[in-house]
Every structure is written in structure tokens, then in C-alpha cells.
Amino acid sequence: MAKYVFSFRVPADYAPHAGTAAEWQAWFGGLGSALVDVGNAVTDYASLGEVGGSGSRMVAYSVVSAADMDSALALAKDCPVMRVGGGVEVGPVIEAAAS
């Protein structure tokens, strides 16, 4: 199985609501053993170059295990950010060779 990083993006004016934490916990629980690293929230950010387009910001990341990109996208499709006008960037993790 390959590893994929999920970069969670929300609208720039996004603010969590009272049930946000429970929604995320339920979604992470649904990922089961595919969840390799729950990741962390991102509380501040800066961008260089063309990143994600204007009007959105990164809010968190996670790492999952999936057979291929289509499988990783299937895991991401019900993410809570999708319900608030945000999105999930999905990319394979290419582990660096030890030097």
C-alpha cells in the first residue's frame, strides 16, 4: 500500500462551529486502518507561488494508506471540509532515500 497526504483546504472566511470536532472525529474513525497519521491542524500559513488558488487556506493535513490514487480519493470524498465549501488535495508520499 502506498501513502497519500491529504491537505485540507477551507474557504478563507471559514470558522469552525460547535460540532466541528465531532464531525472530524467521526470521519477519521471511518477511515479505520487506512489512517496512517492523523496529522495536525495548521493555525497559520503562508504561500509561495501558485498554491490552491485565492480564497482558500490550508487548515490541516493527514496521511493515509491506499492501494492507488483512486482509492485515496475515495477515502477523501466524505471529508468534513467538503461540506463547508472546502476541498482536499491528495498526493502520493514519495519517501526520500536515506543518505
Side-chain angles (χ1 to χ4, degrees):
M1 291 279 207
K3 292 180 187 173
Y4 291 83
V5 66
F6 287 180
S7 172
F8 306 112
R9 300 188 67 80
V10 295
D13 62 352
Y14 169 79
H17 57 78
T20 298
E23 289 176 5
W24 279 93
Q25 289 173 350
W27 183 69
F28 284 134
L31 293 176
S33 64
L35 185 62
V36 173
D37 178 357
V38 72
N40 290 287
V42 175
T43 58
D44 196 8
Y45 72 100
S47 298
L48 296 172
E50 298 294 321
V51 179
S54 62
S56 72
R57 63 184 174 92
M58 182 172 52
V59 70
Y61 76 91
S62 294
V63 178
V64 300
S65 177
D68 53 31
M69 179 64 85
D70 288 339
S71 299
L73 290 169
L75 292 171
K77 73 178 177 65
D78 293 323
C79 178
V81 298
M82 303 300 282
R83 295 188 288 275
V84 299
V88 182
E89 291 176 304
V90 178
V93 174
I94 308 300
E95 298 199 20
S99 51

